[in-house]
Amino acid sequence: MAQSLLLVLLGGAVLRISLLSTTYLNYVKPGFRPFLVAAGLVVFVLGAVGLFQEWRGKASAGHSHGPGVAWLLGLPVFAIFLIAPPALGAFAARSEEAPARPPAVALDAYGPLASGQVTDMPLSEFIGRAWGDSGRSLAGRPVRLTGFVVPSKKKDRWYVARIQIACCAADGIPLKVAVLDADRPPENTWVEVTGTWIDPELEELPQGTVAPELTATSVTVIPAPVEPYE
């Protein structure tokens, strides 16, 4: 009975975070939702069938008791209901030794940016343009970046960051852009940072070795997005 109940609880937990809420986005990409729902349903049904068969067997053969310690197997499942871990945040991106992620597209594949207006841009694209675009398309173009706040050991800066995942949080890689000339909001606060790229003016840009820098003109605190990862 303990095994079947564990399956029911586990299947219910998966359905709760994937079918009845968006909590699953803290752990996987949106495209995995159908697979989570299907897996949750299968596990739940298997557990329910096991409980029903156990109940029928006890009704016809009398009551029996298994080892009480077996119920401890349910503790991890209850933990999912009560204390589900949040999405990766500032703690996962604190290291200043980790390099920024190199651009995921071919060099010079980025198009020109519109002049005279602020461009909303993912951090991955900003980093790619900063270190992988010899045409320096970011130069003089205001952009708006969205991410969470990560402190820096250097007093003149802090980072706006976001975790990039391929499929799930286990393969997450922190993307960080150094923010200058702006007061730092509290750690892990989600913000929109508007500013302009600081061109290092190097003949060969150090692709993906350090975080690119941004001179901020405004920093706006925002609610955490439903989908926290890039």
Side-chain angles (χ1 to χ4, degrees):
M1 180 174 288
Q3 183 181 23
S4 297
L5 182 60
L6 183 63
L7 290 176
V8 168
L9 292 174
L10 180 60
V14 174
L15 291 173
R16 176 177 178 270
I17 66 173
S18 59
L19 184 61
L20 303 179
S21 74
T22 57
T23 306
Y24 76 99
L25 292 173
N26 289 345
Y27 318 117
V28 297
K29 285 277 197 178
F32 284 85
R33 186 176 198 176
F35 302 103
L36 287 174
V37 173
L41 283 172
V42 170
V43 173
F44 185 87
V45 170
L46 287 175
V49 170
L51 285 176
F52 178 72
Q53 291 177 341
E54 182 72 17
W55 175 79
R56 287 189 63 184
K58 284 187 175 183
S60 60
H63 294 283
S64 62
H65 297 281
V69 71
W71 294 100
L72 294 178
L73 294 173
L75 291 180
V77 181
F78 284 114
I80 295 177
F81 280 101
L82 300 176
I83 49 173
L88 296 177
F91 180 80
R94 285 189 69 94
S95 175
E96 301 205 43
E97 287 72 33
R101 184 176 177 83
V105 300
L107 300 182
D108 299 321
Y110 296 106
L113 298 176
S115 61
Q117 66 182 45
V118 178
T119 301
D120 287 295
M121 185 176 294
L123 264 69
S124 55
E125 180 180 344
F126 184 89
I127 294 171
R129 286 180 182 270
W131 297 138
D133 182 7
S134 61
R136 288 172 162 78
S137 58
L138 284 175
R141 299 290 193 244
V143 298
R144 184 182 297 111
L145 307 177
T146 299
F148 52 82
V149 175
V150 179
S152 172
K153 296 178 181 178
K154 299 179 181 180
K155 295 182 178 180
D156 66 336
R157 69 191 58 209
W158 49 275
Y159 297 104
V160 56
R162 203 151 182 175
I163 305 296
Q164 185 180 63
I165 65 174
C167 68
C168 59
D171 61 31
I173 296 175
L175 306 175
K176 298 194 296 184
V177 173
V179 178
L180 282 66
D181 298 333
D183 294 333
R184 177 176 68 83
E187 182 177 355
N188 241 2
T189 302
W190 280 86
V191 294
E192 287 182 343
V193 181
T194 302
T196 307
W197 174 54
I198 300 176
D199 189 343
E201 298 181 352
L202 301 174
E203 291 185 3
E204 293 186 6
L205 300 179
Q207 175 181 325
T209 56
V210 294
E213 298 176 337
L214 179 86
T215 297
T217 55
S218 69
V219 177
T220 304
V221 175
I222 62 172
V226 173
E227 187 176 345
Y229 302 121
E230 281 198 9

